[in-house]
Amino acid sequence: MRQRTAASWPLSAGAWPYYVYGMKQPVSMPVGTAAKILAGAALLAAATGLAFASWIDHGAAIFMTMVEAGISWCF
């Protein structure tokens, strides 16, 4: 089995400072982008909640209407 030398490792002593510098780059998102994402998520949550509440309130009537429409094709 061959021994690896320090130069053969991906993070050898020569590459280490550059790797650390590259990993410490700050990742930032503009405030406007974050606000748009949050507003979109809130809008999607509100629409989903409204649809679910409507289904709970009128689900039986919707189901019976669909059943009656389906049965009417049989006659």
Side-chain angles (χ1 to χ4, degrees):
M1 180 175 215
R2 191 172 71 123
Q3 290 284 355
R4 291 187 139 195
T5 62
S8 68
W9 287 95
L11 296 177
S12 62
W16 182 256
Y18 300 108
Y19 174 76
V20 172
Y21 176 76
M23 292 301 290
K24 289 189 176 205
Q25 293 296 321
V27 177
S28 63
M29 182 185 306
V31 175
T33 304
K36 288 178 186 175
I37 291 172
L38 287 174
L43 186 63
L44 181 65
T48 304
L50 183 62
F52 183 70
S54 297
W55 176 256
I56 293 295
D57 195 30
H58 302 290
I62 293 170
F63 178 73
M64 288 307 295
T65 302
M66 294 299 215
V67 167
E68 290 170 357
I71 291 175
S72 68
W73 284 94
C74 296
F75 295 116

